Amino acid sequence: MPSNLAAIASDVFHWQSEPLALHSFLHCSADRSVDWTVHNTTASVFIMGALVKTGIFVLIVSVCQGYQDIWDYDGHKLKDTDYVSLWPLPQKVQSSAAAFKLSSINFQIVHAKGSSAGSSCSLLQTAFRRYFDYIFGYVKKQSFKKEPKKAFGEEVAELQVLITSSDSECDGYPDLKSDESYELSVDQPSAILKAPKVWGALRGLETFSQLVYEDEYGSRNINKTEVSDFPRFAHRGILLDTSRHYVPLKVILANLEAMAMNKFNVFHWHIVDDQSFPYMSRTFPDLSQQGAYHPYTHVYTPSDVKMVIEFARMRGIRVIPEFDTPGHTQSWGKGQKDLLTPCYSGSTPTGSYGPVNPILNSTYDFMASFFKEISAVFPDAYVHLGGDEVDFTCWKSNPDITKFMQAQGFGTDYSKLESYYIQRLLDIVSTTNKGYMIWQEVFDNGVKLKADTLVHVWMNGAGGYSEELSRVTALGFHTLLSAPWYLDYISYGQDWEKYYKADPQDFKGTEEQKKLVIGGEACLWGEYVDATNLTPRLWPRASAVSERLWSDKNVKDVNDAYIRLGQHRCRMIERGIPAEPLFTGYCRHEYKGNL
C-alpha cells in the first residue's frame, strides 16, 4: 500500500453544501486498512480514535487489498474489495480490513443452536443451498478440482442462522407486516446471522452473499463486518404484465429470483387485460379457453400459478394478482356471455363491446363466484382490483344503460355509474375477507372505500403525483407510488438516475401523512415486452427503485450509487440474470447466453 494514499485521499475529498448530501472519506491507517465512511453533514469523524459518529448511518467498507488489472466504467482501476458493492445499501454497515477466506470444501450455512427454525424448515434449507451456490457457483462452473491458490488470511468456516422469535413463520406466507430486519456479524471461525423471522434471514443471506468477493487468485474472501438492517418501506414491488404478451413461466421465475437479489418483496401480477386472458380459471374455464392467445400454450394453469406463489414465498415475496375491471376487460367477454356492454350506433348494435355491463345482476353473480375462486387460489391478504382508464363511450351509446342512469338519478355523469359498479364490486370482494388495492381513479371518483384500502398512485397529473399523495393521505388512506417508475418508458442514456431520485415521501404533508405511504412499485407494462427483452429491460433499472424503497432516505448520492449499481449489475450477470449495462465497460464474468 503506497504510504501517501492518505494524503491523496485527503486531496480528493471535499465537503458538499447540501444539508442532506452524502460524502465519502478515505482513510488509510497504519495497519493497512482503508475505511469508506458514508455520512451526513452532521457527522463527527474522529479518525485517530477510530470513532465515527453519524446522525443517519455508518458504512465502512475496507478497500485496502491487492490491486488488479480491472477497471470500472470510468476507467479507474478496481481492487478486490471494490466488488463488495452492497445493493440496496443496508441501514448500517461496519467493515474492517481483516479479511477471511471462504472455502467451498469447508464452508457451510447452518441453523444456529437455539434457533426456532431447524432442519425441518424447507424455506431456509433451500435458501442455504441457493446462497451457497451463489457464493461458490462460478468456482464450480470452472470445474476446479481443488480450491484456487490460497492467499493469506484465516477462514470463516460457517454462517450460523439464528431465528430469535418463537414463531419463525417458516411455513407461512409473507405479508404487509412481515418483519424483514436482521443483524449480521462476520468473524472467524463463524459468522452469525440473527433475525426475528425467516423473512429477515432471507434478506441477511443476500447481504452476506454480496459481502463475498473474489481475489486475484480466484479465492472467495469476506471481511470482518457488522450489519444492522431493515427496510424503509414495507411494500417494495415489481409489476409485470402477462396479458399484452404472454410471459413464459421460466421468465417469471427468473425475475422473482432477481427480485430477491434486490430485496423486493411484492410481485404484482397484472395477469389479464384487454388483449388476453391467460389465467386458467377452474370455475370459468372458458375465460382462458376463449380469451387467451392460445388455450393450451399461452395460459397459466392452476399448477403454474401454485408454482409461482410457492417460488415467491420461498424468497419472501408476496404475489398480488390484479384483475382489472370494469375497463381493460375485452378478453373477458370472449369467454363469458353478457359480461360486457353492447355498443350501439343510434338504435342499432355495432357488434362491438365496451366495459363490463354494470346494470345486470348476472354481472355481479359472476364477479362473486370469480373472486371467491381468486381468494382461494392466491393466499395474500390483498387483491388488486384495478379500476383505471374506463372509457364511457360505449356506456353512453347503450339505451338500456341510459334508462338505468335516469332511474338511478345519475343524469349524464357516467363516473357515478362507474362508482356504482366499483362499490358493488368492493362489497363482493369484502365478503372474501380480502383487502383490496385500487388505481387512483377509484379514489378520485369518490367511491366509498374501506379504511384499509390501498390507493395506488400512477398518474402524473397537472400537479404531479405529489399532489395526489397529499390528497390520498390527507383522508387517512394508505398509498403506494408507481408514477415515477414506469419502466416501459425507455430512452437513450442512463434513465435509472431519475428513478433513483424519486421518493415516495416527497410531497407536502404532515409526518403522519407520510407514514401512510407504505412503499411503491416499479411497473413494466407489456406492449413492447415479451420473453426476449423483459429481463434486460427491467434490470438493473428496477434496482434503482429497490434501493430507494429499502435504504435510508438520505442515501441518494448518485455518483456512489453508479459505482455500486454497476458492480451489482455484474453480480446479477454472474448469477445468470441478463441485466443490461449502465454504460460502457465490462464484467469479470460476462453473461454467456442460453445456448
Side-chain angles (χ1 to χ4, degrees), residues 265-340:
N265 67 349
V266 176
F267 172 35
H268 177 166
W269 195 352
H270 188 87
I271 193 168
V272 302
D273 209 291
D274 280 328
Q275 290 77 12
S276 73
F277 198 104
Y279 172 75
M280 185 181 288
S281 168
R282 292 186 184 275
T283 311
F284 301 99
D286 282 348
L287 288 172
S288 61
Q289 190 72 22
Q290 303 297 324
Y293 285 132
H294 190 283
Y296 305 117
T297 61
H298 286 60
V299 294
Y300 302 107
T301 66
S303 61
D304 290 338
V305 173
K306 186 176 181 180
M307 179 182 293
V308 168
I309 293 170
E310 181 60 12
F311 192 92
R313 185 190 79 88
M314 296 290 277
R315 287 151 183 81
I317 298 171
R318 303 161 59 199
V319 179
I320 299 179
E322 180 182 353
F323 292 92
D324 191 358
T325 66
H328 293 277
T329 49
Q330 289 298 298
S331 66
W332 299 52
K334 297 176 181 179
Q336 185 63 26
K337 185 180 179 182
D338 298 329
L339 180 63
L340 303 185

Side-chain angles (χ1 to χ4, degrees), residues 511-558:
E511 286 304 309
E512 290 304 311
Q513 282 181 257
K514 295 186 178 184
K515 289 178 182 177
L516 294 173
V517 181
I518 63 169
E521 293 180 356
C523 302
L524 188 61
W525 298 99
E527 288 87 350
Y528 302 98
V529 173
D530 66 5
T532 64
N533 64 344
L534 185 151
T535 304
R537 184 164 294 184
L538 185 59
W539 309 104
R541 296 160 77 227
S543 302
V545 183
S546 77
E547 181 153 290
R548 182 56 51 237
L549 296 176
W550 179 280
S551 303
D552 186 274
K553 65 180 180 180
N554 292 302
V555 176
K556 52 187 178 183
D557 187 321
V558 174

Side-chain angles (χ1 to χ4, degrees), residues 20 22 39-40 42 54-58 91 552-555:
L20 292 177
L22 303 178
H39 49 83
N40 69 350
T42 64
T54 68
I56 304 299
F57 62 92
V58 180
Q91 301 293 330
D552 186 274
K553 65 180 180 180
N554 292 302
V555 176

Side-chain angles (χ1 to χ4, degrees), residues 554-569:
N554 292 302
V555 176
K556 52 187 178 183
D557 187 321
V558 174
N559 294 327
D560 168 64
Y562 173 76
I563 296 171
R564 289 186 294 107
L565 185 55
Q567 295 309 317
H568 180 57
R569 177 254 173 180

Side-chain angles (χ1 to χ4, degrees), residues 489-496 498-499 541 580-584:
Y489 293 126
I490 58 175
S491 60
Y492 184 80
Q494 300 190 45
D495 58 357
W496 71 270
K498 67 180 180 182
Y499 305 139
R541 296 160 77 227
E580 68 179 19
L582 299 179
F583 192 49
T584 58

